[in-house]
Amino acid sequence: MSKIKPSQGAAYARIMGVGGYRPTRVVPNEVILETIDSSDEWIRSRSGIATRHWASEEETVAAMSVEASGKAIADAGITPEQIGAVIVSTVSHFKQTPAIATEIAHKIGAGKPAAFDISAGCAGFGYGLTLAKGMIVEGSAEYVLVIGVERLSDLTDKEDRATAFLFGDGAGAVVVGPSKVPAIGPTVWGSEGDKSETIKQTVAWDEFHAERPEKFPAITQEGQAVFRWAVFEMAKVAQQALDAAGIAPGDLDVFIPHQANMRIIDSMVKTLKLPENVTVARDVETTGNTSAASIPLAMERLLATGQAKSGDTALVIGFGAGLVYAATVVTLP
């Protein structure tokens, strides 16, 4: 017979507050066209992107995260000292160790919480949200701060016609806490490692260290392969998340997919047969693809502009490099 005392956590977990930070510099397509042979019309038709935000030297991964976290904590109505864990999803913190989560935890005044980074690309927010839910239900933390943050302008090849226009910078954060009713559904997540080469860093850090190529490592992707995978496979995952939560498309109020590409978003809406009354996040038009930050940033904007409201039922899904994905149904804070 086990002598281990059972964990005593909450019955359920919910998103209590959300915050976002977008760098002050807005970069229109005209700036992108200075280094690639393309046109504003082509970029908009291929991606739906008109502008994106690029961080300044002072707008570091940590600085943007602190700003977004402060807003999320205030929105949740708690104090930083109550945060029991900080989870940061990012691929653009360039130190292998220590995790940027520890620095952020210290700067927001969170005391001594558990703090760690995860690397799950554009699905990272969903992974972090699922881990946070588990911590709260298990009882190892009462409140968990989940951050998605990227400075993808540092990893963008400004001369690559296929990707130069895609990526933006920013941070989004949520506070996850206890709930008396289900407010974060079961997560449908997974990976398809046989497709890991479709989105990747051009040069591994060890190769860069050894050979010092002329160009700094950047993100590259096989656009058509990624597009087909996202359109055809991720709609299936989204439907599985709806089924797992016992939600029909007509029961949804909001759809917040990863902001990768407007064509992908529109195709998913069509495949899922979402009713016209469902609000769809299309933050990609003015924010670009911010990877792990895109879902919380889009969520924050929908709530701030009144397009979505507290208590709405939302389907969120992230997908990207790996290839990895994570989808769940949540109640908005």
Side-chain angles (χ1 to χ4, degrees):
M1 183 175 178
S2 176
K3 297 180 181 179
I4 299 173
K5 182 181 178 179
S7 300
Q8 305 204 343
Y12 305 103
R14 67 186 177 100
I15 299 175
M16 299 179 59
V18 59
Y21 180 81
R22 292 172 172 82
T24 55
R25 182 188 177 193
V26 177
V27 179
N29 288 339
E30 285 72 20
V31 172
I32 306 299
L33 297 175
E34 293 174 3
T35 51
I36 63 170
D37 180 17
S38 187
S39 68
D40 177 65
E41 181 182 3
W42 186 87
I43 292 173
R44 289 174 186 258
S45 66
R46 297 282 293 185
S47 67
I49 298 172
T51 61
R52 73 286 293 145
H53 296 255
W54 282 355
S56 66
E57 185 176 345
E58 293 76 23
E59 291 168 317
T60 64
V61 167
M64 293 190 293
S65 297
V66 168
E67 291 291 331
S69 298
K71 295 176 184 178
I73 292 168
D75 192 42
I78 65 169
T79 65
E81 293 83 3
Q82 292 176 275
I83 299 293
V86 177
I87 303 171
V88 178
S89 177
T90 185
V91 299
S92 47
H93 169 53
F94 290 156
K95 289 183 180 179
Q96 294 296 119
T97 189
I100 194 66
T102 58
E103 179 182 340
I104 294 166
H106 173 69
K107 287 184 173 179
I108 65 173
K112 299 180 179 180
F116 58 95
D117 298 351
I118 59 175
S119 178
C122 304
F125 175 74
Y127 275 55
L129 188 64
T130 303
L131 293 172
K133 173 186 173 183
M135 290 178 179
I136 291 160
V137 173
E138 186 268 341
S140 60
E142 185 176 10
Y143 301 102
V144 180
L145 179 65
V146 180
I147 303 166
V149 56
E150 301 293 1
R151 271 181 55 121
L152 294 180
S153 58
D154 292 336
L155 286 168
T156 298
D157 181 349
K158 307 299 195 300
E159 297 178 352
D160 180 7
R161 188 174 185 270
T163 62
F165 58 89
L166 288 175
F167 302 117
D169 303 336
V174 300
V175 171
V176 182
S179 175
K180 295 180 180 179
V181 298
I184 300 176
T187 299
V188 177
W189 57 354
S191 65
E192 297 183 28
D194 60 315
K195 301 179 181 67
S196 62
E197 292 296 301
T198 55
I199 305 176
K200 63 180 181 180
Q201 186 170 304
T202 52
V203 181
W205 291 122
D206 57 346
E207 295 173 9
F208 182 78
H209 176 73
E211 300 179 10
R212 298 283 178 169
E214 290 184 7
K215 286 189 175 182
F216 191 75
I219 296 174
T220 184
Q221 69 175 25
E222 297 175 17
Q224 286 301 315
V226 173
F227 180 84
R228 288 193 296 270
W229 175 76
V231 169
F232 296 112
E233 298 302 322
M234 290 305 96
K236 298 176 186 177
V237 171
Q239 185 61 58
Q240 290 171 20
L242 290 173
D243 294 342
I247 299 292
D251 297 326
L252 278 178
D253 300 304
V254 185
F255 178 43
I256 311 177
H258 165 48
Q259 302 294 293
N261 182 302
M262 195 75 78
R263 292 166 63 205
I264 291 174
I265 294 171
D266 291 341
S267 294
M268 291 181 72
V269 169
K270 183 177 180 180
T271 302
L272 289 168
K273 299 180 180 178
L274 297 183
E276 291 185 3
N277 63 294
V278 174
T279 298
V280 179
R282 291 188 170 87
D283 196 43
V284 67
E285 181 180 2
T286 56
T287 306
N289 179 346
T290 55
S291 189
S294 78
I295 290 175
L297 277 174
M299 182 184 296
E300 187 258 357
R301 175 163 280 175
L302 289 176
L303 289 166
T305 58
Q307 297 177 70
K309 63 184 184 298
S310 175
D312 279 353
T313 299
L315 169 63
V316 299
I317 178 170
F319 45 87
L323 294 169
V324 295
Y325 54 86
T328 188
V329 176
V330 303
T331 301
L332 293 182

